[in-house]
């Protein structure tokens, strides 16, 4: 009997919690699933078409998404906070080109016909990475920290 | 994920595509060839790799979709796998996604990548996100972390035991006309090294809390960054050892825009390895027991001199307590024709580094200072595309890493033909000189194709 009461208590609590959670959900319409217009070749400049006014409470000037050299190097912040904005143009496979987690070849080989992309590890990076690792090992860890693949293990036992 | 679970997941996902109203399939097939000669060992490698992705939208409902991406490889001559096998493959992601029409809400289930707050993780599980009233956003994920197996499983015998479950959540708050602040938590594993029946010396688990912020009061200025705290209860340190800080990382970037032509970015980062590397599965490389610290700051100035020409100058100072100071300075010039049919770039970077610490009196300290020059060009004329990319690294003095060489280079030339809008074939040839292969030539054939109705830029 006591067990049933406890279950009822938690049942009511769960129901109330659910109602409260639903009342907290934003009534705003979702971000468009895909960009409404096709974009030209090369890196897009969002601010060419969009004003710097904020849209739908996103509070981010569109100029922050312009795909300049600065954006390419710091896009981790936008991806972290605004994945939906990225997803309106990019499928996740686009991210996997570089952030695959486990890849059979380094991005610079896979994308060797696109030298304009800032694919890391061009040239003799096998030699250079020993030095980069000495200077700043956390720069390697950002991408490879948990990717304990055999190629790393061959030397780093 | 166990193999039979993976097969079941794949079968479910693949069958789901059959009732998708909008299916796009894309792939890249690559065949490589290179020769290697190390001492008396000679080998010829000819791996063929297939990347394959599927996006199936409108699966019964307009909001339900399926996303799948992975690769497989087979070696046509000598094995390029370290375990001697000639085949390999991997599922990068495979998940069903439901997007709600309201509140940017979505649910994902399957294998997916998470990038929120503290971690960049691959998870087999479920993730949820939604916008709340008042500018709040809430996201969470949970499941089994994707584990990378090594050839020698005994080296990871405690790995599965410790990393049994991963959970993460982030609560964000967007403040009108100011920016956004987020609070996140990540727990990877429930049994820390010290809690195992036989305690382990390596702790793969993590408990981290992060604070991320964006301050963007005007289009001309924004500040982004994060601080991560290590909340894990670590193994007791030897008596007399100073307790390391629980602050794992500070990483902040400020961006200033002067009109539409000039952008200045500045970054400052500080990492405490003891806390930052907590949970690494490469302890020999990212040493958890290391008390070392990294501090770095730098900046980049980007000037759009004309509509077609961009000039970039950058500088970075790095410091490791155990290694010393390093300064990297350089610049780049980029040109792109208005129609993007012709693009070119030219860059140079110089790295001046302290000599490595002399541990062995018979092996003197050495400098890692070097200079790098790079030039590349791309041309697209109708169905034909050409690219040429050359890079040279010039080292200041002899170094045991360099095997007697002081200058290394690599040149890659590529020719492509776009047969149709959805099919492109290309071939690369590269030549270089490295300490591993003093005279190396590589070939690569590539076929990229896409079928279906998908609009997004997947590839």
């Amino acid at each position: 009997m006591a067990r049933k009461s406890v279950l009822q208590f938690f049942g009511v609590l769960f129901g109330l919690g659910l109602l409260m959670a639903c009342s907290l959900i934003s009534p705003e319409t979702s971000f468009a699933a895909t960009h409404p217009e096709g974009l030209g070749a090369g890196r897009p400049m969002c601010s060419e078409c969009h004003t710097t006014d904020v849209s739908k409470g996103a509070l981010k000037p569109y100029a922050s998404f312009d795909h300049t050299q600065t954006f390419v190097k710091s896009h981790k912040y936008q991806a972290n906070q605004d994945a939906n904005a990225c997803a309106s143009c990019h499928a996740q496979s686009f991210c996997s080109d570089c952030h695959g987690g486990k890849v059979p070849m380094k991005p610079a080989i896979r994308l060797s016909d696109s030298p304009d992309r800032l694919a890391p590890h061009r040239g003799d990076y096998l030699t250079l990475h020993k030095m980069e690792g000495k200077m700043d090992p956390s720069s390697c860890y950002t991408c490879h920290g948990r990717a304990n693949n055999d190629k790393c293990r061959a030397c780093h036992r | 994920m166990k193999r039979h679970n993976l097969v079941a997941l794949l079968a479910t996902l693949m069958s789901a595509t059959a009732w998708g109203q909008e299916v796009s399939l894309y792939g890249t097939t690559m065949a490589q060839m290179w020769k290697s000669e190390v001492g008396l060992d000679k080998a010829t490698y000819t791996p063929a790799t297939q990347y394959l992705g599927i996006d199936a939208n409108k699966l019964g409902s307009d909001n339900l979709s399926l996303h799948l991406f992975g690769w497989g490889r087979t070696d046509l001559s000598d094995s390029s796998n370290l375990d001697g096998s000639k085949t390999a493959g991997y599922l990068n992601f495979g998940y069903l996604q439901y997007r709600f029409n309201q509140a940017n809400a979505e649910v994902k289930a399957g294998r997916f990548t998470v990038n929120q707050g503290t971690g960049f993780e691959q998870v087999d599980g479920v993730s949820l996100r939604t916008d709340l009233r008042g500018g709040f956003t809430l996201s969470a994920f949970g499941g089994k972390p994707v584990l990378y197996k090594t050839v020698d499983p005994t080296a990871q015998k405690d790995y599965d035991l410790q990393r049994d479950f991963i959970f993460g959540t982030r609560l964000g708050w967007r403040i009108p006309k100011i920016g956004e602040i987020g609070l996140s938590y990540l727990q990877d594993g429930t049994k820390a090294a010290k809690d195992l029946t036989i305690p382990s010396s390596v702790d793969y688990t993590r408990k981290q809390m992060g604070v991320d912020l964006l301050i963007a009061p005007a289009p001309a200025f924004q500040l982004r960054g994060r601080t991560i705290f290590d909340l894990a209860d670590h193994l007791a340190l030897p008596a007399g050892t100073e307790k390391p800080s629980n602050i794992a990382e500070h990483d902040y970037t400020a961006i200033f825009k002067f009109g539409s032509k000039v952008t200045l970015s500045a970054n400052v980062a500080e990492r405490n390895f003891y806390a930052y590397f907590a949970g690494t599965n490469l302890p020999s490389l990212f040493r958890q027991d290391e008390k070392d610290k990294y501090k770095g700051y730098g900046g980049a100035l980007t000037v759009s001199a004309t509509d077609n020409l961009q000039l970039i100058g950058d500088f970075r100072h790095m410091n490791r307590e155990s290694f010393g100071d390093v300064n990297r300075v350089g610049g780049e010039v980029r040109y792109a024709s208005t129609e993007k049919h012709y693009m070119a770039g030219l860059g140079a970077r110089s790295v001046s580094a302290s000599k490595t610490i002399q541990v062995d009196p018979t092996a003197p300290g050495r400098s890692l200072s070097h200079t790098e020059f790079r030039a590349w060009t791309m041309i697209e004329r109708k169905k034909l595309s050409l690219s040429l990319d050359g890079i040279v690294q010039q080292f200041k003095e002899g170094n045991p890493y360099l095997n007697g060489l002081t200058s290394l280079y690599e040149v890659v030339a590529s020719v492509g033909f776009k047969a149709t809008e959805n099919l492109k074939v290309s071939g690369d040839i590269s030549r270089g000189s490295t300490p591993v292969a003093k005279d190396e030539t590589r070939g690569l054939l590539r076929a990229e194709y896409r079928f279906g109705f998908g609009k997004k830029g997947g590839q």
Side-chain angles (χ1 to χ4, degrees):
Chain A
M1 194 66 177
R3 191 176 172 186
K4 194 179 172 187
S5 304
V6 171
L7 282 176
Q8 280 175 339
F9 173 75
F10 278 110
V12 170
L13 203 66
F14 179 74
L16 284 173
L18 204 62
L19 278 174
M20 189 181 283
C22 289
S23 72
L24 289 173
I25 302 287
S26 165
E28 293 282 340
T29 310
S30 290
F31 218 91
T34 53
H35 196 273
E37 292 174 21
L39 297 171
R43 291 186 188 137
M45 293 292 158
C46 305
S47 53
E48 280 178 10
C49 301
H50 296 281
T51 65
T52 54
D53 290 341
V54 294
S55 167
K56 289 178 55 185
L59 297 177
K60 298 199 174 43
Y62 279 106
S64 15
F65 297 106
D66 283 349
H67 290 15
T68 60
Q69 181 109 349
T70 307
F71 177 83
V72 174
K73 285 191 173 173
S74 68
H75 68 277
K76 65 176 177 182
Y77 300 115
Q78 275 86 358
N80 193 271
Q81 292 174 326
D82 293 288
N84 278 317
C86 307
S88 67
C89 292
H90 295 292
Q92 204 188 328
S93 53
F94 182 78
C95 309
S96 294
D97 276 349
C98 303
H99 303 288
K102 194 170 185 181
V103 291
M105 61 184 80
K106 64 179 184 176
I109 291 179
R110 191 175 169 206
L111 303 167
S112 50
D113 59 345
S114 304
D116 60 318
R117 287 176 71 164
L118 293 175
H121 310 343
R122 289 199 177 259
D124 176 33
Y125 203 79
L126 187 64
T127 303
L128 204 66
H129 88 282
K130 300 168 190 170
M131 303 177 187
E132 295 282 347
K134 277 223 183 309
M135 295 180 223
D136 175 14
S138 55
S139 67
C140 313
Y141 184 73
T142 305
C143 298
H144 299 285
R146 304 182 76 73
N148 188 5
N149 61 45
D150 293 329
K151 287 251 161 66
C152 300
R153 276 272 171 186
C155 300
H156 302 286
R157 291 175 185 280
Chain B
M1 189 182 272
K2 289 192 169 66
R3 186 173 290 271
H4 58 268
N5 290 347
L6 197 61
V7 170
L9 172 67
L10 269 174
T12 310
L13 296 173
M14 291 298 282
S15 63
T17 60
W19 36 280
Q21 291 178 24
E22 269 190 17
V23 180
S24 65
L25 183 147
Y26 45 88
T28 305
T29 306
M30 288 189 184
Q32 291 173 277
M33 183 178 167
W34 74 96
K35 291 186 177 184
S36 165
E37 188 174 340
V38 181
L40 296 173
D41 288 336
K42 291 182 182 178
T44 301
Y45 299 106
T46 51
T49 309
Q50 175 67 50
Y51 292 89
L52 189 66
I54 297 171
D55 288 313
N57 297 309
K58 300 184 180 178
L59 299 173
S61 150
D62 280 359
N63 300 357
L64 187 65
S65 59
L66 164 85
H67 309 273
L68 198 81
F69 183 77
W71 58 266
R73 184 183 65 197
T74 185
D75 286 313
L76 304 176
S77 52
D78 289 314
S79 167
S80 57
N81 294 337
L82 293 170
D83 64 355
S85 64
K86 288 195 169 185
T87 57
Y90 189 66
L91 176 69
N92 291 91
F93 60 78
Y95 59 87
L96 282 163
Q97 180 180 36
Y98 189 86
R99 287 173 62 105
F100 293 83
N101 295 326
Q102 183 189 332
N104 284 319
E106 66 175 32
V107 181
K108 285 181 190 172
R111 172 173 293 187
F112 50 85
T113 304
V114 174
N115 175 26
Q116 62 167 34
T118 57
F120 190 86
E121 311 292 334
Q122 266 193 302
V123 180
D124 291 330
V126 180
S127 97
L128 312 123
R129 88 165 300 283
T130 183
D131 289 348
L132 303 175
R133 288 172 194 269
F136 288 93
T137 60
L138 184 66
S139 57
F141 68 89
K144 176 94 179 144
V146 175
L147 307 177
Y148 299 95
K149 301 289 184 190
T150 59
V151 174
D152 175 16
T154 56
Q156 289 183 305
K157 62 180 176 9
D158 294 328
Y159 194 47
D160 286 350
L161 294 173
Q162 294 184 34
R163 296 191 67 204
D164 52 348
F165 180 74
I166 188 166
F167 166 77
T169 184
R170 178 177 180 272
L171 178 67
W173 182 36
R174 288 177 174 168
I175 310 156
K177 293 187 169 50
I178 295 178
E180 179 174 341
I181 185 164
L183 183 68
S184 54
Y185 176 77
L186 175 78
Q187 176 158 353
D188 188 358
T190 59
K191 299 182 194 72
K194 63 183 178 52
D195 298 332
L196 294 177
T197 313
I198 304 170
S200 167
S201 59
V202 182
D203 197 346
Y204 297 111
T205 62
R206 287 179 296 168
K207 279 185 190 173
Q208 292 178 327
M209 192 176 79
V211 179
D212 58 271
L213 67 84
L214 157 70
I215 298 173
F221 171 76
Q222 59 170 289
L223 172 72
R224 290 175 177 271
R226 67 181 193 180
T227 293
I228 293 180
F229 303 90
D230 175 24
L231 305 182
D233 182 15
H234 294 287
L235 287 166
L237 292 165
T241 309
E242 187 189 350
K243 189 178 179 297
S245 166
N246 287 101
I247 298 174
E249 177 187 45
H250 295 300
D251 189 344
Y252 291 87
T253 300
I255 298 171
F256 306 85
K257 295 201 175 198
F258 305 99
S260 58
K261 301 284 185 190
V262 181
T263 305
L264 176 68
S265 70
N267 169 269
V268 60
E270 190 174 330
R271 295 184 184 98
N272 156 27
F273 293 174
Y274 185 80
Y276 185 76
F277 291 155
T280 180
N281 47 19
L282 276 175
S284 63
L285 182 60
F286 305 120
R287 297 180 64 83
Q288 288 170 289
D289 57 344
E290 198 156 13
K291 309 297 183 297
D292 210 348
K293 282 180 188 163
Y294 165 83
K295 287 179 187 175
Y297 58 83
L301 181 70
T302 307
V303 180
S304 299
T306 67
D307 287 346
N308 306 112
L309 196 67
Q310 199 176 48
L311 311 170
I312 303 125
D314 52 41
F315 166 76
R316 182 142 196 90
H317 171 81
M318 296 171 269
N319 171 269
R320 268 185 76 181
E321 276 187 357
S322 67
F323 180 71
D325 292 325
V326 179
N327 290 306
R328 187 197 304 267
V329 64
E332 216 174 308
V333 180
R334 287 181 164 234
Y335 175 84
S337 66
T338 309
E339 300 298 321
K340 304 274 194 305
H341 289 324
Y342 176 68
M343 296 168 80
L346 198 64
R349 298 277 189 288
S350 172
V351 174
S352 64
S354 309
K355 288 203 170 204
T356 50
I357 290 173
Q358 187 177 348
V359 179
D360 178 359
T362 60
R366 52 193 181 267
S367 169
L368 303 179
S369 301
H370 60 275
T371 309
E372 180 179 294
F373 299 98
R374 183 174 171 222
W376 56 269
T377 185
M378 294 172 70
I379 301 166
E380 261 187 36
R381 295 296 291 171
K382 296 181 180 171
K383 293 184 172 183
L384 205 62
S385 63
L386 303 166
S387 76
L388 190 64
D389 184 12
I391 190 165
V392 178
Q393 284 141 4
Q394 189 81 42
F395 289 84
K396 300 280 167 66
E397 60 182 73
N399 189 316
Y401 291 145
L402 302 175
N403 212 6
L405 299 175
T406 52
S407 182
L408 317 175
Y409 80 94
E410 187 179 43
V411 179
V412 185
S414 176
V415 181
F417 181 72
K418 197 168 186 175
T420 70
E421 198 53 43
N422 294 325
L423 174 67
K424 183 185 174 187
V425 288
S426 59
D428 295 359
I429 188 152
S430 67
R431 187 159 179 86
S433 174
T434 75
V436 180
K438 289 190 178 175
D439 192 7
E440 184 182 62
T441 305
R442 286 175 178 248
L444 186 149
L445 292 172
R446 180 191 293 110
E448 297 167 68
Y449 44 89
R450 184 181 190 99
F451 305 104
F453 318 98
K455 288 178 183 170
K456 288 184 184 176
Q459 296 284 296

